[in-house]
Amino acid sequence: MCDLDQNIELAKKYNLPAIAFSHENNKQETLMGTPWMILDADALSPFFLREVYCRHHHIPLMITTTSRCTIRELTVKQLPELLLLQKENKNNPSGCFFPQNCCTTVAAETFLLDYIKNQYSFYGYGIYGIFKKTDDTFLGIAGFSPLENTEDYYVEIGYSILKEWQRQGFASEALPALLHFEKEYLRFTEVITRIEKENIASIRLAKKNLLRIITI
């Protein structure tokens, strides 16, 4: 943690992550040499420190865990499984990670790389991968997406599980864990979910977790 520009530059010289600390006695400093800044030492939570470390070293950030799963940021290694998820949900866009205009593997990889580079660091949240704790098998995705045309801090939460791992309770584990993470660290104005009206199981799960549901 640095409160002087010269110390931030020294940290950069040795490739160390620096958190700028702005306070009443250093208003003459620009503190522009690092993407991380705090105004109060209380902001130095364990999660924030882990986030700074992971961002600096380009490591996918661990978001939360359940009894059987870990939930963490995506990497390009998940491209084949994300493409499979896309194929399984060809008639269900809400179950896909990629937009419908990603029609080739190259386009999907480009989208994924841009998403990893920009979404997590700019918004501070996004769509994450769900992995089995025992062997790190990719199970599906879950996470938060910004809602357009809203004045308040509203987001949508969603999930999609590969067919091989459906009906085994993984979504039921991931959803409350992510909502707990949201309440503790993200603190949105409201979290909503959009579900196809025929998807009775997802509607039941959303109601169980007290989410506002928009049926589509």
Side-chain angles (χ1 to χ4, degrees):
M1 187 168 67
C2 307
D3 64 352
L4 299 175
D5 290 334
Q6 64 184 31
N7 291 340
I8 293 174
E9 291 304 313
L10 186 63
K12 289 170 63 178
K13 178 180 178 180
Y14 290 99
N15 193 31
L16 297 172
I19 300 170
F21 181 26
S22 178
H23 53 80
E24 286 293 324
N25 298 321
N26 70 339
K27 292 184 177 180
Q28 75 282 1
E29 305 292 327
T30 67
L31 304 177
M32 296 297 292
T34 176
W36 303 290
M37 178 184 291
I38 62 170
L39 304 178
D40 191 306
D42 289 340
L44 292 174
S45 68
F47 181 82
F48 176 66
L49 293 173
R50 189 167 75 248
E51 181 180 12
V52 170
Y53 179 88
C54 289
R55 295 277 178 264
H56 181 78
H57 293 285
H58 306 289
I59 299 170
L61 179 64
M62 178 72 70
I63 300 302
T64 187
T65 63
T66 71
S67 60
R68 296 181 294 168
C69 306
T70 59
I71 301 173
R72 66 173 185 267
E73 292 175 347
L74 295 165
T75 73
V76 73
K77 292 180 181 179
Q78 282 81 58
L79 179 61
E81 290 92 346
L82 290 170
L83 287 171
L84 175 59
L85 192 69
Q86 194 87 1
K87 182 179 179 180
E88 292 181 351
N89 289 275
K90 61 182 179 179
N91 297 319
N92 174 28
S94 64
C96 299
F97 174 78
F98 301 108
Q100 295 300 298
N101 60 0
C102 279
C103 301
T104 67
T105 300
V106 173
E109 182 174 7
T110 299
F111 179 89
L112 177 58
L113 288 170
D114 287 344
Y115 189 93
I116 293 166
K117 179 181 178 181
N118 299 310
Q119 175 72 28
Y120 298 135
S121 58
F122 181 79
Y123 285 97
Y125 63 89
I127 301 298
Y128 310 115
I130 308 172
F131 303 84
K132 283 180 70 177
K133 276 183 177 179
T134 53
D135 57 10
D136 210 40
T137 296
F138 178 85
L139 305 172
I141 56 174
F144 306 98
S145 300
L147 284 174
E148 298 179 358
N149 303 319
T150 56
E151 296 181 359
D152 291 317
Y153 203 28
Y154 284 69
V155 298
E156 176 184 358
I157 190 170
Y159 64 87
S160 185
I161 305 295
L162 286 167
K163 287 184 178 179
E164 180 182 358
W165 304 107
Q166 291 178 6
R167 303 182 188 280
Q168 298 181 47
F170 291 115
S172 298
E173 287 188 26
L175 190 60
L178 280 172
L179 289 172
H180 177 77
F181 167 77
E182 179 273 325
K183 286 183 175 63
E184 189 166 0
Y185 296 107
L186 301 177
R187 299 171 185 172
F188 299 123
T189 302
E190 185 176 4
V191 180
I192 66 99
T193 186
R194 289 185 290 182
I195 306 172
E196 294 78 7
K197 58 184 178 181
E198 297 85 5
N199 194 340
I200 304 303
S202 287
I203 291 174
R204 187 183 300 116
L205 178 59
K207 287 182 176 179
K208 182 178 179 181
N209 286 276
L210 306 179
L211 288 168
R212 181 158 70 91
I213 303 167
I214 299 176
T215 55
I216 55 177

